[in-house]
Amino acid sequence: MKQYGHLKEYNVTLKTIGPVSIGSGQSFSKKEYIFKRETSTFIFLNMPFLGEICRKKGLEKKFVDFLLDPQAKDLYRFFKDNRLNENDYAKAVLYEVHSFDEHLNGHDAKEVQVFMQNGRGEFYIPGSSVKGAVRTAILTNML
């Protein structure tokens, strides 16, 4: 424990007994990522850079139309329809995340919610969320 005036800092280890999701409020639609079903991997892309790649391949208008069309399926379908492959968009990849969600087996993901991250891209649970969980546990125990 460290103390800063009247404030105390504690290191806490949490053991969860169920899924934990602390969202940042940011989400990605199916037009902003590629989901590889065979590996259950989400591929997140730098969209402005991807637009530049499409412009160089003469697909700028098709790409813009795809993004604006509410009936358009997903980014993977756009690549298939326009005969683009992984090599074509590899430079636009920001990062890939493997999913362990069994509900995705054989199904497409819809919208992806982003977990809280610090400035270095590390995931964390905000103190206010921990405080709320502890309060709820104490109150439930008291009742």
Side-chain angles (χ1 to χ4, degrees):
M1 177 189 75
K2 296 178 185 173
Q3 189 157 350
Y4 307 96
H6 67 285
L7 300 176
K8 295 178 182 177
E9 179 183 300
Y10 295 92
N11 288 327
V12 178
T13 301
L14 301 175
K15 178 180 178 185
T16 62
I17 56 173
V20 175
S21 178
I22 307 294
S24 68
Q26 182 183 11
S27 63
F28 291 96
S29 74
K30 291 180 74 166
K31 293 181 181 182
E32 298 174 287
Y33 67 85
I34 297 170
F35 179 65
K36 288 180 151 183
R37 278 191 224 165
E38 59 276 0
T39 59
S40 294
T41 303
F42 291 90
I43 301 171
F44 296 94
L45 304 167
N46 178 329
M47 294 304 281
F49 191 70
L50 182 59
E52 184 62 23
I53 291 170
C54 288
R55 185 189 65 76
K56 288 178 181 176
K57 294 197 168 285
L59 297 170
E60 183 176 27
K61 180 171 178 1
K62 284 187 177 183
F63 186 60
V64 170
D65 290 346
F66 160 76
L67 292 174
L68 296 176
D69 182 2
Q71 301 301 317
K73 295 289 182 193
D74 57 34
L75 195 52
Y76 179 77
R77 176 65 41 208
F78 173 80
F79 288 130
K80 286 278 245 197
D81 292 347
N82 291 285
R83 297 188 181 124
L84 296 170
N85 59 39
E86 289 183 40
N87 294 331
D88 293 318
Y89 64 81
K91 291 182 180 177
V93 173
L94 291 172
Y95 55 92
E96 297 182 17
V97 177
H98 180 73
S99 173
F100 295 98
D101 189 345
E102 293 182 18
H103 294 97
L104 292 176
N105 289 341
H107 298 87
D108 287 333
K110 304 293 184 221
E111 184 178 67
V112 176
Q113 302 290 323
V114 179
F115 201 84
M116 289 296 292
Q117 292 176 293
N118 64 17
R120 294 184 300 254
E122 300 165 330
F123 300 108
Y124 75 96
I125 299 175
S128 58
S129 296
V130 174
K131 177 180 166 185
V134 169
R135 275 187 177 168
T136 301
I138 290 171
L139 183 59
T140 301
N141 189 40
M142 289 173 68
L143 295 175

